[in-house]
Amino acid sequence: MWQNETQQQNEQLFPPQPPIGQVFRYPGRDARPRQDGAVSPVLKVQMLLCLLLLGAVLGLRLLKLPAYEYFKGQYEAIMAEDGEFLRQQEWFALAESFLEGVRVQAQETVSGWEEEWAEQEQAGNSQAGQENSQTTQAAFWGSWFQKEPPEGCSLKSYLPDAEMVCPLEAYTISSEYGWRTDPLTGKRGDFHKGIDLAAGEGQPIYAPLEGWVESVRADSAGGNFILLRHEGTLSTRYCHMQYIFVRTGEKVSAGQVLGTVGQTGQATGPHLHWELIYENVHYDPAEALGLAGAV
């Protein structure tokens, strides 16, 4: 008798809990609502998980991150299958695959760091090792969460076969290639298709490579600009020019003066907006001009 009384007291103090699998189980059709009108704790947990997953997917979509396309494909595959709606096995597999991808990339990145640190310790240059590890970390996170460029643009660099002549002798980089805040409107999310080199008005602009003038035009945005076609499918574009000294169809040589720096069109001051285009795709021109890391 005393054993029964002890068991009853323990059940009052520590009521039996449902198995953990029932907490994340989709409610069956025979599930009945509680008579007292209160929301089941199981349903609360499931609703919270759904909201968290929805918020994460919406965030990936708004930021246009590459990971969004992966989850979109996995979701469509799950919905296309026959069976119970929103089966927990598929959702757990989707979450597990995401975590596995992060784990694999993290493991590869850490292994790379360890190799770099070992090499730097042997060379006795710890400062360079730290800079390299930071670059590796940025590349790791960028591969998952870097915002994709618009159509016709790439975040990569393109290096021509021939060495390029810098279009200006003296300049300051006022706006780099890629995503930025528009300096005129203050609107975020503007993609800059070239690099802005601030310089004194009237400073000569040089052709970086041999080629010919494909077009000489003017509009409200780029002001006076020219487009040079070089060997193959490589082109360069020059905007906001003050004066233009060449004509359409004219052949130019590397280092030839094309015109002068101005501030025509939409510009906050005298500068050269310079674009590098290969096979109709814009690339970051900084490395091609040897300007990578310059300020």
Side-chain angles (χ1 to χ4, degrees), residues 53 70-71 74 78 88-105 144:
L53 180 60
Y70 169 78
F71 283 104
Q74 294 293 323
I78 293 175
Q88 68 179 35
Q89 291 84 358
E90 282 81 357
W91 287 112
F92 288 160
L94 178 59
E96 183 179 1
S97 64
F98 172 76
L99 295 176
E100 178 65 16
V102 174
R103 185 192 67 78
V104 171
Q105 291 197 29
W144 273 86

Side-chain angles (χ1 to χ4, degrees), residues 120-288:
Q120 295 301 331
E121 287 179 357
Q122 294 177 358
N125 190 349
S126 59
Q127 181 177 1
Q130 182 179 4
E131 293 176 355
N132 290 335
S133 65
Q134 292 175 352
T135 303
T136 306
Q137 294 179 46
F140 165 66
W141 292 113
S143 63
W144 273 86
F145 298 105
Q146 188 176 46
K147 189 176 182 180
E148 295 183 344
E151 184 177 359
C153 298
S154 174
L155 294 176
K156 300 179 180 179
S157 299
Y158 172 76
L159 295 177
D161 296 333
E163 185 176 356
M164 305 185 78
V165 176
C166 189
L168 296 176
E169 292 181 351
Y171 59 86
T172 300
I173 299 178
S174 56
S175 185
E176 297 180 343
Y177 176 91
W179 294 106
R180 67 171 185 175
T181 299
D182 193 306
L184 294 173
T185 64
K187 183 179 179 180
R188 300 181 61 182
D190 173 60
F191 192 87
H192 195 216
K193 295 183 178 181
I195 189 170
D196 288 348
L197 306 178
E201 190 167 10
Q203 184 173 327
I205 301 173
Y206 304 100
L209 296 170
E210 182 183 78
W212 65 92
V213 182
E214 182 171 313
S215 63
V216 177
R217 297 176 55 188
D219 60 30
S220 59
N224 301 327
F225 71 90
I226 62 176
L227 179 67
L228 294 186
R229 175 75 67 176
H230 306 284
E231 183 178 359
T233 56
L234 177 66
S235 302
T236 52
R237 190 167 180 252
Y238 311 75
C239 298
H240 309 299
M241 298 176 66
Q242 180 188 35
Y243 300 111
I244 297 176
F245 299 155
V246 293
R247 297 176 297 178
T248 302
E250 180 179 346
K251 185 176 181 179
V252 298
S253 58
Q256 179 177 335
V257 178
L258 304 174
T260 57
V261 174
Q263 49 183 330
T264 56
Q266 297 180 358
T268 57
H271 73 281
L272 172 64
H273 172 87
W274 196 83
E275 297 178 3
L276 179 66
I277 309 166
Y278 178 69
E279 294 184 348
N280 296 322
V281 176
H282 289 76
Y283 288 89
D284 188 347
E287 188 173 355

